[in-house]
Amino acid sequence: MDLVFATHNKNKMKEIKALLPHYINLLSLDDIGCNEEIPETSDTIEGNAVLKAEYVKHRYGYDVFADDTGLEVEALAGAPGVFSARYAGEAKSDQANMQKLLREMKNINNRSARFKTVIALNLNDQQNLFVGTCQGTILEEARGNQGFGYDPVFQPEGHTKTFAEMSLSEKSELSHRAKALRGLISYLSK
Ligand code: IMP
């Protein structure tokens, strides 16, 4: 069974391929000849996951799933949220995004935040959403050099390390993306 994961990211592909049931032939956007940037014009994380999945389904005809992730900071009214990738501008720089977040959070006592991943699956003319969240706090300075994105300033609840101080397998035990993925995998395995 062919199933497209709407991403160009080879690391994400590898990670997910290893977890899916073996009868699923996972294809990337490159594998189906989709080289364009899929527009992410929604103002919600759910909306962007749905847009990406529907774009592939309608233009290429494949069954597909797409993910979208955002960091929602309580004291910033949920920002950067759906704009997490381009918080500090269209260059989508992880470093610049993190520095902007630390500036915005200067002198703010409420450091509570959560990551949220939504996966939209279009399979057999049905759509399902799988959501995973991870609650935590935003530190005052970056710690650790593993992971990516906002990992060095995010400390998950109940832990003393940031995501960037954890190994990939430690992070995968509790991350928002892993939780959403578990929902997808259990659905596909049925
Ligand atoms: P995307 O939806 O996976 O493209 O992610 C949107 C934004 O959130 C990008 O700026 C990513 O760097 C950031 N992001 C996504 N997942 C994580 C994560 O697990 N840790 C830290 N940052 C992340």
Side-chain angles (χ1 to χ4, degrees), residues 12 40 52 67-71 84-86 94 97 115 117 148-151 163 171 175-177:
K12 278 191 184 176
E40 296 184 35
K52 283 188 270 186
D67 72 334
D68 200 52
T69 297
L71 175 65
S84 294
R86 55 201 76 199
D94 281 352
N97 286 340
F115 274 112
T117 292
F148 66 99
Y150 298 90
D151 278 349
F163 268 163
K171 182 181 166 186
S175 89
H176 42 294
R177 195 174 3 270

Side-chain angles (χ1 to χ4, degrees), residues 23 102 153 159 168 171 183:
Y23 57 82
L102 290 179
V153 292
H159 294 261
L168 183 60
K171 182 181 166 186

Side-chain angles (χ1 to χ4, degrees), residues 72-75 101-114 135-141 153-155:
E72 299 178 327
V73 180
E74 202 172 277
L101 179 64
L102 290 179
R103 279 199 306 277
E104 298 286 328
M105 295 290 287
K106 216 169 171 192
N107 302 323
I108 292 183
N109 290 329
N110 175 7
R111 316 289 299 185
S112 182
R114 67 170 192 175
Q135 196 67 39
T137 51
I138 304 298
L139 301 186
E140 288 177 8
E141 49 189 43
V153 292
F154 185 83
Q155 183 168 292

